[in-house]
């Protein structure tokens, strides 16, 4: 992980918290980290993730699941597994760059950029994670709104919605979805 910048580490961890999974098979001594992304909409996110994983010396594998329109990115790495687990314990005292990267990764995992309303919306079932993102955004000088969503028939767990102000796009974000939005503004302008 030393070859990544603070922002890239934050991105990787934000994406992991949103769409990732870590597993340690003690019997076979395997450490697996998996990311599940949309195989149609998130190809650019997959490519950015691939670059980060290659930069830290891992060999990601990719498997498309047509049933769920998803692509699974898997890495077997004890070092990455331990880094992600350790990072989970030290989120409070993070640098500004890490916070921007973390929010960017979480946007790419759980976010929706709405150009018409000029906002970014995040939805997740973890109130703890959403409160952390709210705190990070407030640390960056942004006002945010966090609300509990009404439970629909499809929802198994309560979820929370966080509205990220559009001025987040003016940060040095490495969110692929925010970069898509910026490119759309440049084409329109």
């Amino acid at each position: 992980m030393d070859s990544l910048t603070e922002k890239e580490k934050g991105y990787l961890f934000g994406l992991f918290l949103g769409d990732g999974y870590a597993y340690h098979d003690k019997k076979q001594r395997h450490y697996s980290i998996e990311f599940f992304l949309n195989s149609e909409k998130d190809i650019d996110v997959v490519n950015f993730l691939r670059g980060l994983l290659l930069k830290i010396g891992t060999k990601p594998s990719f498997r498309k699941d047509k049933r769920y329109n998803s692509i699974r990115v898997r890495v077997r790495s004890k070092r990455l597994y331990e880094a992600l687990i350790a990072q989970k314990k030290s989120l409070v005292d993070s640098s500004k760059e890490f916070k921007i990267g973390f929010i960017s990764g979480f946007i790419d995992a759980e976010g929706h950029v709405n150009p018409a309303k000029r906002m970014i919306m995040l939805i997740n079932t973890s109130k703890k994670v959403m409160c952390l993102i709210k705190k990070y955004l407030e640390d960056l000088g942004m006002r945010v709104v966090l609300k509990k969503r009404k439970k629909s028939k499809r929802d198994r767990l309560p979820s929370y919605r966080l509205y990220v102000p559009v001025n987040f796009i003016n940060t040095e974000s490495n969110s692929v979805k925010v970069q898509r939005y910026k490119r759309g503004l440049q084409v329109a302008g």
Side-chain angles (χ1 to χ4, degrees):
M1 294 281 286
D2 293 338
S3 57
L4 297 180
T5 65
E6 281 297 299
K7 194 184 300 180
E8 290 169 334
K9 288 176 189 175
Y11 180 90
L12 192 59
F13 193 69
L15 190 70
F16 172 74
L17 273 187
D19 279 339
Y21 174 75
Y23 177 71
H24 175 213
D25 182 344
K26 292 177 183 170
K27 190 175 182 180
Q28 302 222 357
R29 297 187 297 198
H30 286 266
Y31 294 84
S32 296
I33 298 92
E34 297 179 343
F35 297 87
F36 295 88
L37 298 160
N38 186 297
S39 62
E40 293 175 359
K41 296 179 187 174
D42 292 334
I43 294 301
D44 46 357
V45 176
V46 170
N47 289 332
F48 187 71
L49 174 60
R50 175 192 327 230
L52 292 178
L53 294 172
L54 290 172
K55 191 173 177 180
I56 61 172
T58 62
K59 295 178 182 164
S61 65
F62 304 87
R63 183 167 182 240
K64 191 171 182 177
D65 187 339
K66 293 177 185 174
R67 296 174 298 164
Y68 301 108
N69 240 10
S70 69
I71 188 162
R72 179 186 69 196
V73 181
R74 177 188 283 166
V75 175
R76 295 192 189 272
S77 168
K78 179 180 179 181
R79 196 179 51 167
L80 179 58
Y81 175 91
E82 289 175 344
L84 290 171
I85 299 304
Q87 186 62 58
K88 207 172 188 178
K89 296 175 184 172
S90 63
L91 286 173
V92 178
D93 300 321
S94 299
S95 69
K96 178 182 176 182
E97 294 299 308
F98 181 91
K99 291 174 184 179
I100 291 171
F102 178 84
I103 295 164
S104 298
F106 202 80
I107 287 170
D108 286 353
E110 302 289 344
H112 171 71
V113 179
N114 187 330
K117 293 185 179 180
R118 297 183 43 91
M119 67 156 187
I120 303 165
M121 182 174 57
L122 300 173
I123 298 175
N124 194 274
T125 57
S126 172
K127 185 175 183 180
K128 186 177 178 180
V129 170
M130 295 299 269
C131 286
L132 177 69
I133 292 170
K134 182 178 188 287
K135 181 191 176 317
Y136 279 8
L137 287 162
E138 289 168 345
D139 290 350
L140 296 170
M142 296 180 202
R143 291 183 43 198
V144 293
V145 178
L146 175 62
K147 293 184 178 180
K148 186 174 183 178
R149 290 179 64 216
K150 288 183 182 176
K151 210 171 179 183
S152 73
K153 292 177 184 176
R154 295 185 307 159
D155 293 339
R156 288 181 277 152
L157 299 169
S159 60
Y160 301 87
R161 179 180 296 155
L162 189 127
Y163 295 98
V164 179
V166 75
N167 60 339
F168 182 76
I169 69 167
N170 298 326
T171 65
E172 293 298 315
S173 165
N174 52 352
S175 165
V176 175
K177 289 181 180 179
V178 169
Q179 298 305 321
R180 267 190 232 149
Y181 174 73
K182 282 182 175 180
R183 283 193 304 272
L185 289 178
Q186 290 170 351
V187 171

